[in-house]
Amino acid sequence: MKIIMLGAPGAGKGTQAKMIADAYNIPHISTGDIFRANIKNNTELGIKAKKYMDQGLLVPDELTCDLVVDRICQEDCADGYVLDGFPRTIPQAVCLDKALEGMSDKIDYAVNVKVPDENIVRRMSGRRACAKCGATYHIVHIPPKKEGICDRCSSELILRDDDKPETVLKRLSVYHAQTQPLIEYYDEKGVLVEVDGTQEMNDVFAEITGALK
Ligand code: ADP
Ligand code: AMP
């Protein structure tokens, strides 16, 4: 099954993508995680991407598309994958479609996790991420067992630089301008599934799996 996660930053795409990946035994591919790993390792891509990410802007399409196309061609993606944070622009979606067409393949579902803007800032200011394994928590809604410590790998949890309120507002406006049009794009292709992301995370997950056949 080939799935795309859509939704505003902080809507819960990553949280649901990880649950889907575990349930269907397919890889979870997050472009945000790939960029953050590159930043951590100080690669050329990481240095370029950081400039945009710190400002709440999208990394240019030309640095993003090939990376994802290469990743989905790897062997572990043969039975499907869940793309989290990609595509984020119409040109990225077109690039993905062209690459898939070349492999006589297509996306099965684009899952839009709907959360109103007013909930987003609260969600993101409470998000804590493990810098080592990428697990995410929320200090109120999905807290770790021990404050500030990752349940999975016991590393320290951090507030992402781009989750500070001023950057979140910028990311939201970028989302509305550049990413939201993808909802219509995938609706026209007949693969859109919309879920209410304001519910408790297990209820969101149940709604998603109920819609995937
Ligand atoms: P995204 O990948 O869309 O940016 P995340 O999955 O990282 O979003 O979720 C953003 C924040 O909201 C995280 O702190 C996460 O733990 C929390 N969160 C995710 N799903 C829910 C939910 N259904 N209810 C409350 N908080 C949630
Ligand atoms: P995320 O972890 O998905 O919230 O992404 C964090 C940041 O990485 C975004 O705000 C963008 O700056 C960058 N990014 C992630 N995915 C993409 C993408 N598909 N296109 C452009 N920029 C991206």
Side-chain angles (χ1 to χ4, degrees):
M1 191 137 41
K2 296 172 181 86
I3 303 170
I4 285 171
M5 302 303 293
L6 297 175
K13 298 182 297 296
T15 302
Q16 296 301 324
K18 284 174 194 149
M19 294 167 84
I20 295 169
D22 284 348
Y24 292 87
N25 202 19
I26 50 177
H28 164 218
I29 302 171
S30 154
T31 39
D33 284 353
I34 295 172
F35 290 136
R36 280 185 288 277
N38 274 275
I39 292 172
K40 205 169 154 193
N41 295 327
N42 218 17
T43 67
E44 202 180 317
L45 173 65
I47 292 164
K48 284 185 188 157
K50 187 173 185 330
K51 282 193 212 138
Y52 299 94
M53 290 168 73
D54 282 352
Q55 295 176 67
L57 300 173
L58 295 183
V59 177
D61 293 341
E62 57 270 26
L63 295 179
T64 311
C65 291
D66 293 350
L67 178 104
V68 175
V69 172
D70 284 351
R71 179 66 189 88
I72 61 173
C73 288
Q74 286 171 22
E75 222 177 288
D76 63 334
C77 290
D79 291 335
Y81 42 79
V82 48
L83 288 178
D84 162 19
F86 181 94
R88 258 184 160 103
T89 63
I90 295 281
Q92 288 182 13
V94 171
C95 159
L96 176 64
D97 280 347
K98 282 203 180 126
L100 288 170
E101 261 168 49
M103 300 184 250
S104 307
D105 211 343
K106 61 173 186 48
I107 289 298
D108 298 304
Y109 297 102
V111 177
N112 181 28
V113 183
K114 289 191 296 178
V115 175
D117 284 8
E118 48 273 29
N119 299 23
I120 294 287
V121 179
R122 222 176 16 249
R123 283 235 182 140
M124 304 218 347
S125 59
R127 171 156 63 185
R128 295 294 179 273
C130 175
K132 195 167 170 206
C133 77
T136 47
Y137 303 86
H138 190 281
I139 50 175
V140 178
H141 306 298
I142 307 168
K145 291 194 181 83
K146 196 168 163 208
E147 197 183 315
I149 303 292
C150 179
D151 291 350
R152 274 186 10 202
C153 72
S154 304
S155 300
E156 196 190 345
L157 300 179
I158 54 158
L159 172 68
R160 275 168 46 178
D161 280 344
D162 60 349
D163 279 350
K164 309 228 158 95
E166 56 283 12
T167 317
V168 169
L169 292 178
K170 179 69 198 165
R171 290 169 69 196
L172 262 178
S173 77
V174 166
Y175 164 76
H176 288 300
Q178 292 184 264
T179 309
Q180 202 171 328
L182 290 175
I183 298 171
E184 202 181 319
Y185 180 90
Y186 286 107
D187 195 16
E188 280 170 6
K189 290 189 176 290
V191 295
L192 183 70
V193 167
E194 299 212 86
V195 296
D196 173 7
T198 63
Q199 307 169 88
E200 196 271 316
M201 72 169 182
N202 291 320
D203 295 334
V204 180
F205 184 60
E207 208 182 322
I208 293 174
T209 51
L212 309 184
K213 285 161 221 110

